[in-house]
Structures are given as structure tokens and as C-alpha cells.
């Protein structure tokens, strides 16, 4: 079994794979030693992999939990670097239909790359992945299997906090919900601006990608993805597990080499 972990800015999401099926999924605020021991007791974990948007010190402490429990864990950053290095040294080592065309690969978030890698593994090419979390990211894999990059935008909660923090009197909202276009209270106006504005922004971005990409498949994932899937005007597919399939896939591709 493979344990895959997504270390986000505010939460940690955990998935356990038995072959190609997720048999356990959970979200926690803090992944600690007791939680890991419970997982190792409940499931026969052969290897673990994680991606993270947190700092190096936090990730080092995180990896030490596994080392203390004599469990192998690999960072997605290391695995993707290994993948690229092997590509340069040995063109026949792996299947290289996936090409990373990002100009600054060292600054590319491993969570973004894991999501697009999972989409490539599961659906092949011509895909736009929208990850709606703290930030809303767009990542595009073209019809030739080349990852071209995308965009990073503030997420719903970040916009709520910005309106509160950079004004004197606007209240802080902490949940998204369907709201009328024209708000009649300050709270409704904030909701309309943030929620309806963000939905319109995403719909417009999808439309622009679709203009130049016939039969583009659009996947939405992340903490706010279910809301997006229900309220966007454009047709999208709800894919909450796509990042975990990317982590599993990059681990398995490198399994014989690491």
C-alpha cells in the first residue's frame, strides 16, 4: 500500500492506496506521531510520498516522524527532480510523453505539478486543472503532452481576508455560499464581490483556454472544488483525488530507481 499526503497551507490531506484504489482518505489540521502510528497499525504501508507548500524546516520535521517509525517517505519535489534528471541522462529510462515546459522549474509548486501529473496519468492530454484552495491555480497540459504552466490567483478566503485586513470597517467572512448578484447588506455585497466575481473570473479563464484548445478537459480539485463544480457556468469535472494519483504515479515511476 502507498500513503500519499498533501501538505497544504492550513490542512493536511491523506490518502491510502491499495493498488490503484483509494481505501482511506482524511483531512487533518496537524499530522503527528500518534496519527501516523494509527495509520501504520490500520494499513500495511509499503512506502509514502508527500507534496508540500510549507517551509523546509516543517518538512524536515514531518519526514522525521516517518524515519522514527522506520517507514520510507519521499518528497514529490525529490521525485520530480529525479524524473527530470533521468530524462536528461537516459531518454529510454521512462515514458517521456509528459514534458515539463515551465521556465523556472525550481519555483514550480510540487502540488501543482502533482495535480497535472495525476491528470496526465489518468486522462492523458489536453487538460486544464483548476485547484481551488488557499490560492486558485490553473495548470495546462496541451494536446502534445507538454505542461505549459498556468496562473496563480487569490482564493476565496484570501480575498475575504484582504478585504478585512486592508480596510477599517469591512467584516471578515469565512465561508463561501451562493449569493444574489446585487447584495443588499455589507455582508451580502462582500459575498457577491468575492464569490460571484471569482466564479466569473474562472469561467472567463476557462473560456479563453477553450478558444484555442478543442475538446479541452477541465478538472477542478482542492478544498473549494465542489462549490466550483456546482456553480461554474462552464462544464467541468470534479476530481478531488487527482493530486493523490499524481503522487502515487511519480512514486511508482521511480520505484525501481530510488
Amino acid at each position: 500500500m502507498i500513503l500519499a499526503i498533501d501538505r497544504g497551507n492550513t490542512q493536511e490531506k491523506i490518502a491510502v492506496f491499495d493498488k490503484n484504489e483509494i481505501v482511506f482518505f482524511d483531512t487533518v489540521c496537524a499530522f503527528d506521531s500518534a496519527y501516523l502510528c494509527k495509520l501504520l497499525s490500520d494499513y500495511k504501508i509499503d512506502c509514502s510520498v508527500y507534496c508540500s507548500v510549507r517551509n523546509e524546516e516543517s518538512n524536515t520535521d514531518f519526514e522525521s516522524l516517518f524515519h522514527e517509525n522506520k517507514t520510507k517517505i519521499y518528497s514529490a519535489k525529490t521525485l520530480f527532480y529525479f524524473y527530470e534528471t533521468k530524462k536528461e541522462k537516459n531518454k529510454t529510462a521512462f515514458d517521456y510523453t509528459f514534458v515539463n515546459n515551465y521556465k523556472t522549474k525550481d519555483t514550480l509548486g510540487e502540488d501543482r505539478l502533482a495535480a497535472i501529473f495525476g491528470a496526465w496519468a489518468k486522462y492523458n492530454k489536453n487538460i486544464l486543472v483548476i485547484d481551488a484552495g488557499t490560492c486558485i491555480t490553473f495548470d495546462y497540459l496541451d494536446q502534445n503532452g507538454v505542461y505549459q504552466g498556468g496562473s496563480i490567483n487569490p482564493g476565496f478566503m484570501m480575498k475575504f481576508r484582504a478585504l478585512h485586513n486592508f480596510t477599517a470597517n469591512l467584516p471578515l467572512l469565512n465561508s463561501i455560499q451562493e449569493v444574489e448578484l446585487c447584495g443588499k447588506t455589507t455582508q451580502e455585497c462582500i459575498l457577491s464581490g468575492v464569490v460571484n466575481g471569482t466564479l466569473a473570473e474562472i469561467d472567463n479563464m476557462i473560456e479563453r483556454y477553450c478558444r484555442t484548445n478543442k475538446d479541452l478537459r477541465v478538472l477542478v480539485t482542492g478544498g473549494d472544488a465542489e462549490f466550483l463544480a456546482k456553480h461554474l457556468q462552464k462544464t467541468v469535472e470534479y476530481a478531488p483525488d487527482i493530486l493523490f494519483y499524481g503522487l502515487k504515479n511519480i512514486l511508482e515511476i521511480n520505484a525501481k530507481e530510488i
Side-chain angles (χ1 to χ4, degrees), residues 51 76 80 109-120 242-247 250:
C51 67
F80 280 120
E110 56 204 78
D111 56 333
R112 294 174 61 194
L113 190 52
I116 201 73
F117 202 82
W120 168 70
I242 203 68
L243 180 148
F244 295 101
Y245 280 96
L247 291 177
I250 191 62

Side-chain angles (χ1 to χ4, degrees), residues 12 38 62 83 95-96 114 120 127 144 149 151 154 187 202 227:
E12 307 198 56
K38 181 70 166 57
F62 181 73
Y83 180 87
D95 177 4
Y96 289 118
W120 168 70
I127 295 168
N144 298 313
S151 60
Q187 179 169 317
I202 295 172
F227 181 86

Side-chain angles (χ1 to χ4, degrees), residues 5-62:
I5 304 160
D6 174 21
R7 308 197 73 214
N9 286 295
T10 56
Q11 294 180 320
E12 307 198 56
K13 297 179 181 178
I14 300 99
V16 176
F17 283 90
D18 185 359
K19 296 180 180 178
N20 203 44
E21 181 183 357
I22 293 178
V23 295
F24 173 80
F25 180 84
D26 195 15
T27 301
V28 297
C29 293
F31 189 108
D32 58 19
S33 183
Y35 188 91
L36 175 59
C37 288
K38 181 70 166 57
L39 279 178
L40 296 177
S41 173
D42 292 344
Y43 300 96
K44 190 179 184 305
I45 306 297
D46 299 304
C47 196
S48 301
V49 57
Y50 77 96
C51 67
S52 175
V53 295
R54 304 188 185 189
N55 60 42
E56 287 299 321
E57 182 179 356
S58 172
N59 291 328
T60 299
D61 292 341
F62 181 73

